[in-house]
């Protein structure tokens, strides 16, 4: 972790901004390749830009661990990279101990897990499993209008190869992802490590409000069709939907972009992105429906239009119960922990036995520079992961 602590630092937002195929993410790919080869692993890249480091000859049914190295804008140091670094350290320790795995072991770095550049989370694992068609993925654009296809080409990847990768998927016999905790469950449990039970359903929706751009100083308020007004009311509707729904319902607007974005300009369009989650699919969908209804009413009142697009959806995930029981037994019954945060493990769970380990976060804060994990807890996570790999690959 210290080796990558200066890569992708965001001096404007604080924390780190590391996005698929940007300079920081490419530097992290080079770091991973060097670090993995340094512990005796063979590194290759699959057709969707996911990195694989192999202990043993790649073969079907391998024990796979790993996470991601990209971040949200201004994210913390641990979300993603902790799982990758811990996997490399755990493998290095097993090799030093003289452990001889009977099944191949791989450390994987999945591409664009956060969706920070192209908007769809877990893009690398979704492409690999066929959860997103390559035609749709390659048309995705970043904030500058660059498509994934163009960014991939510039980074040296052939976009024609992107898509479902049955051969790579068959090589994953079992997948265990270690991740920093994104909440405060382990503080109350008094444990440095937990075993995951599942992931809440969640999705992202884009609301595009269109009105009439005009001069802020000359357009009479009564004559305006200002899309910022219904956009603002939609932000408040999101808070109201979460506050009045089940206690576990969350609805968040974390990004709002006015066009053209001038201080003295009434925008012609405002785009905002809604993130909604709950422990049940119905609660999540009901919250989005209530917010959408409020957005349409607000747009109508202001003489504007609104278009709502579902950009991603992940249903509820329950991790493999047999694997979960093996993890619990191997680690001497640590706490169980559900989460509202999405992970590549959640995408893979529909195809292969999948589990997760969480390392305690004393702040309970994530997707922020305040995200943290103590050294001793990270060490406990490495030991837990090494024990799990030893058990699964023996």
């Amino acid at each position: 972790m210290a080796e990558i602590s200066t890569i992708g630092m965001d001096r404007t937002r604080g924390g780190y901004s590391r996005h698929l195929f940007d300079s920081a993410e490419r530097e992290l790919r080079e770091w991973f390749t060097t670090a993995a080869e340094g512990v005796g692993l063979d590194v290759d890249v699959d057709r969707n830009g996911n990195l694989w480091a192999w202990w043993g000859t790649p073969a079907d049914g391998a024990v796979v661990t790993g996470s991601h190295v990209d971040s949200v804008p201004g994210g913390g140091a641990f979300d993603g990279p902790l799982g990758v670094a811990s996997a490399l350290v755990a493998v290095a320790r097993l090799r030093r101990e003289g452990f001889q795995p009977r099944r191949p072991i791989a450390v994987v770095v999945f591409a664009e897990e956060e969706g920070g550049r192209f908007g769809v989370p877990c893009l690398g694992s979704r492409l690999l499993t066929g959860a997103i068609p390559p035609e749709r993925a390659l048309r995705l654009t970043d904030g500058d209008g660059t498509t994934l296809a163009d960014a991939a080409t510039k980074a040296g990847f052939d976009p024609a190869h992107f898509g479902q990768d049955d051969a790579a998927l068959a090589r994953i016999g079992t997948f265990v992802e270690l991740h920093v905790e994104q909440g405060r469950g382990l503080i109350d449990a008094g444990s440095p490590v937990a075993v995951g039970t599942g992931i809440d359903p969640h999705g992202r929706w884009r609301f595009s409000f269109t009105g009439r751009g005009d001069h802020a100083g000359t357009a009479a308020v009564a004559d305006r069709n200002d899309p910022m007004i219904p956009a603002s009311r939609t932000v408040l509707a999101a808070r109201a939907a979460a506050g009045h729904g089940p206690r576990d319902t969350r609805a968040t607007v974390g990004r709002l972009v006015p066009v053209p974005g001038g201080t003295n300009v009434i925008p012609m369009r405002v785009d905002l992105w809604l993130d909604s989650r709950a422990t049940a699919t119905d609660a999540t969908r009901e919250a989005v429906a209530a917010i959408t209804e409020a957005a349409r009413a607000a747009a109508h009142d202001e003489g504007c239009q609104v278009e709502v697009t579902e950009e991603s959806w992940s249903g509820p995930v329950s991790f493999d119960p047999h694997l979960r029981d093996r993890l619990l037994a191997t680690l001497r019954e640590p706490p169980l922990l559900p989460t509202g945060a999405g992970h590549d493990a959640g995408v893979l769970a529909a195809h292969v036995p999948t589990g997760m380990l969480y390392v305690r976060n004393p702040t309970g804060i994530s997707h922020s520079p305040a995200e943290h994990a103590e050294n001793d807890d990270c060490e406990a996570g490495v030991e837990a992961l090494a024990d799990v790999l030893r058990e699964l690959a023996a």
Side-chain angles (χ1 to χ4, degrees), residues 120-179:
V120 174
C122 301
L123 191 56
S125 56
R126 287 179 191 267
L127 281 164
L128 182 150
T129 59
I132 185 172
E135 297 80 9
R136 179 193 167 203
L138 292 169
R139 290 195 302 268
L140 295 171
T141 58
D142 64 11
D144 295 326
T146 301
T147 65
L148 173 60
D150 289 341
T153 300
K154 185 177 180 180
F157 294 90
D158 185 351
H161 291 165
F162 278 39
Q164 185 170 336
D165 191 342
D166 293 332
L169 186 59
R171 288 197 291 268
I172 308 174
T174 307
F175 181 70
V176 177
E177 181 173 2
L178 180 144
H179 204 279

Side-chain angles (χ1 to χ4, degrees), residues 25 32 60-61 66-67 117 133 190-191 232 237 245 256 287 308 310 348 370 383:
E25 199 257 5
F32 174 78
D60 291 357
S67 193
R117 181 173 183 183
S191 173
S232 301
L256 186 151
V308 183
E310 181 177 288
L348 295 176
E383 290 295 331

Side-chain angles (χ1 to χ4, degrees), residues 26-89:
R26 292 198 303 270
E27 189 173 351
L28 289 168
R29 286 170 172 268
E30 294 173 1
W31 162 79
F32 174 78
T33 299
T34 300
E37 291 175 346
V39 298
L41 306 184
D42 298 318
V43 180
D44 61 27
V45 60
D46 68 22
R47 58 190 292 181
N48 295 299
N50 304 308
L51 284 165
W52 300 78
W54 288 92
W55 180 5
T57 302
D60 291 357
V63 177
V64 181
T65 186
S67 193
H68 61 97
V69 294
D70 65 302
S71 75
V72 297
F78 295 86
D79 180 356
L82 179 62
V84 174
S86 297
L88 291 174
V89 175

Side-chain angles (χ1 to χ4, degrees), residues 207 209 226-242 244 251 253 272 274 285-308:
F207 289 67
F209 296 90
D226 183 353
M228 186 62 77
I229 303 305
S232 301
R233 288 173 59 183
T234 301
V235 175
L236 298 177
R239 171 55 68 89
H244 290 91
V253 175
L272 68 80
L274 170 72
R285 294 290 188 182
E286 287 168 7
V288 174
I291 296 164
T292 300
E293 182 179 358
R296 296 193 190 284
H300 178 269
D301 291 347
E302 186 64 18
C304 295
Q305 294 76 45
V306 60
E307 180 180 353
V308 183

Side-chain angles (χ1 to χ4, degrees), residues 234-385:
T234 301
V235 175
L236 298 177
R239 171 55 68 89
H244 290 91
R247 289 183 60 191
D248 56 17
T249 300
R250 284 137 285 160
T252 306
V253 175
R255 184 181 174 208
L256 186 151
V257 179
V259 179
T263 303
N264 59 348
V265 179
I266 299 169
M268 65 182 68
R269 190 179 82 246
V270 176
D271 295 325
L272 68 80
W273 284 262
L274 170 72
D275 179 298
S276 186
R277 309 168 188 240
T279 57
T281 297
D282 288 350
T284 309
R285 294 290 188 182
E286 287 168 7
V288 174
I291 296 164
T292 300
E293 182 179 358
R296 296 193 190 284
H300 178 269
D301 291 347
E302 186 64 18
C304 295
Q305 294 76 45
V306 60
E307 180 180 353
V308 183
T309 305
E310 181 177 288
E311 293 197 334
S312 68
W313 169 255
S314 299
V317 172
S318 294
F319 293 130
D320 184 84
H322 177 67
L323 176 59
R324 181 194 61 216
D325 290 345
R326 290 186 70 181
L327 298 181
L328 288 170
T330 300
L331 302 179
R332 296 172 293 281
E333 301 297 328
L336 289 168
L337 193 69
T339 185
H343 301 284
D344 291 304
V347 176
L348 295 176
H351 305 272
V352 299
T354 302
M356 288 196 70
L357 303 177
Y358 294 105
V359 172
R360 179 166 51 195
N361 178 345
T363 67
I365 297 171
S366 187
H367 284 186
S368 159
E371 177 183 272
H372 186 62
E374 296 289 345
N375 287 342
D376 287 347
D377 290 349
C378 293
E379 173 68 20
V382 169
E383 290 295 331
L385 183 59

